Amino acid sequence: MFPLVKNALSRLQVRSIQQTMARQSHQKRTPDFHDKYGNAILAGGATFCITMWTYVSTID
């Protein structure tokens, strides 16, 4: 009886995974905060860091 139960459970798991993937593929993904502003924040932070290091290293 154990192989029968094991087989039934594995089929249920495969079916639920397939249903989840089908559901997710039909949904439109809207851009979140990181998609919209991620590169700008990264560039701003890098610019600030370089500017501050340049300023601090050139102080007499």
Side-chain angles (χ1 to χ4, degrees), residues 17-36:
I17 290 171
Q18 289 172 344
Q19 288 172 349
T20 302
M21 293 304 292
R23 231 180 291 130
Q24 288 177 351
S25 68
H26 291 296
Q27 294 176 352
K28 286 189 174 181
R29 185 177 173 271
T30 59
D32 62 358
F33 178 82
H34 298 287
D35 292 333
K36 290 182 182 178

Side-chain angles (χ1 to χ4, degrees), residues 5-50:
V5 173
K6 184 178 177 182
N7 189 14
L9 284 176
S10 69
R11 286 184 187 209
L12 285 174
Q13 287 176 341
V14 168
R15 192 173 302 143
S16 69
I17 290 171
Q18 289 172 344
Q19 288 172 349
T20 302
M21 293 304 292
R23 231 180 291 130
Q24 288 177 351
S25 68
H26 291 296
Q27 294 176 352
K28 286 189 174 181
R29 185 177 173 271
T30 59
D32 62 358
F33 178 82
H34 298 287
D35 292 333
K36 290 182 182 178
Y37 307 112
N39 290 335
I41 291 173
L42 181 64
T47 302
F48 177 78
C49 183
I50 291 168

Side-chain angles (χ1 to χ4, degrees), residues 39-59:
N39 290 335
I41 291 173
L42 181 64
T47 302
F48 177 78
C49 183
I50 291 168
T51 304
M52 288 297 106
W53 274 105
T54 303
Y55 174 75
V56 168
S57 64
T58 57
I59 294 177

